[in-house]
Amino acid sequence: MSIVFAAPYSEPEDSVPEWGARPMKWIGVDGTVWPLTGAGSSSPRMLPGVKGLHMPRFEVYTSSTPLVPGEEILGYSTPARDVEWRLLFRASSAPDWEARHADFFDSLHPVETGRWLVGEGDAQRRLDLRGEFDGAHYFPRDPFVTGRAQIGLRLSAPRPFWVGKTISRSYQAEAEPDFIPSDPDDQNYYPTSVTGYSSARIRNPGNEPAYVRWTVAGPHPPGVTLGVGTFLVTVPFEIPEGSTFILNTDPTAPTTTLDGEDRTSQLGFQVFAPVPPGGASKLVIASGGTGDITVELDPLYWRAF
């Protein structure tokens, strides 16, 4: 009988990927910060079995008729997102366990939202969560004896989409040509005092349409025009030098202020358009002023990564 000795197969060293836990943090309603994974996490620590990172639930609306086979897709809506965590609380002493447990649950609230952060750097996304409590949790063993307890949490995201890194673009007024050209043979007259920002564009890399926030630094005379596509708004009042006008077109958090003072009523009824997902959209910016104009967009994603 012959015996063959062979070393077990192993992948080449350069083909082994570097794996590690996805960074996760919880920022509570009280402002406390809790690393849930990675080297910075201690107690509580996220256990396997996390719900809420992947696709949300879509409710698709359809119509049908006996005259046409199948159905017509009318659109969809996205209800609040259900989230579930399994957390391990552990400590080396009973007082320490009690303090960590109490402080963490004080960071949750059934109505107010904290923030779940997943990833880091430009890849980080966030989801605002509130706690859902039914009073059904029980401790199978006394944590003051074992120093450990696994606790499941149910949470809800009223706004179901993950929010990515804010995209910000600042634009300066383009040089305005002289009204009367210096060259008498030049017939290109410009009978206008409006300064243009023709290169203004913003990209939405998300999965859903997203609304923009405008920040206009004075000076600008009355008549600043801002918009996406054909949906425009004209600011009827002056923005003095040193002042800041902010217009948030998101219908979930509309804001119209000049130096912090609400000016919504002066704009009247407006209809704002979002930036469609998956590409760059041209912005409309026109003014007779010279202050910088900044536009920001928070891309909305279906998943945490």
Side-chain angles (χ1 to χ4, degrees), residues 14-103:
D14 59 359
S15 68
V16 178
E18 294 184 4
W19 297 99
R22 191 74 170 179
M24 293 187 188
K25 291 182 181 179
W26 166 248
I27 302 177
V29 297
D30 56 359
T32 55
V33 180
W34 301 83
L36 301 176
T37 64
S41 63
S42 56
S43 179
R45 186 177 181 86
M46 189 77 79
L47 294 174
V50 182
K51 179 180 178 180
L53 296 170
H54 213 256
M55 298 291 287
R57 180 164 57 94
F58 295 102
E59 294 181 351
V60 178
Y61 301 109
T62 64
S63 68
S64 62
T65 171
L67 302 178
V68 179
E71 61 186 10
E72 180 181 0
I73 306 299
L74 302 178
Y76 67 87
S77 64
T78 313
R81 181 189 291 261
D82 295 327
V83 173
E84 293 182 9
W85 295 347
R86 292 178 61 243
L87 300 175
L88 173 62
F89 290 81
R90 58 186 176 184
S92 57
S93 68
D96 184 39
W97 191 95
E98 183 177 13
R100 297 290 292 180
H101 174 269
D103 290 345

Side-chain angles (χ1 to χ4, degrees), residues 27 33 43 49 56 105 107 134 144 149 157 166 172 175 177 241 271 285:
I27 302 177
V33 180
S43 179
F105 276 92
S107 75
D134 58 10
F144 290 91
T166 299
Q172 296 178 330
E241 185 170 4
V271 177
I285 305 176

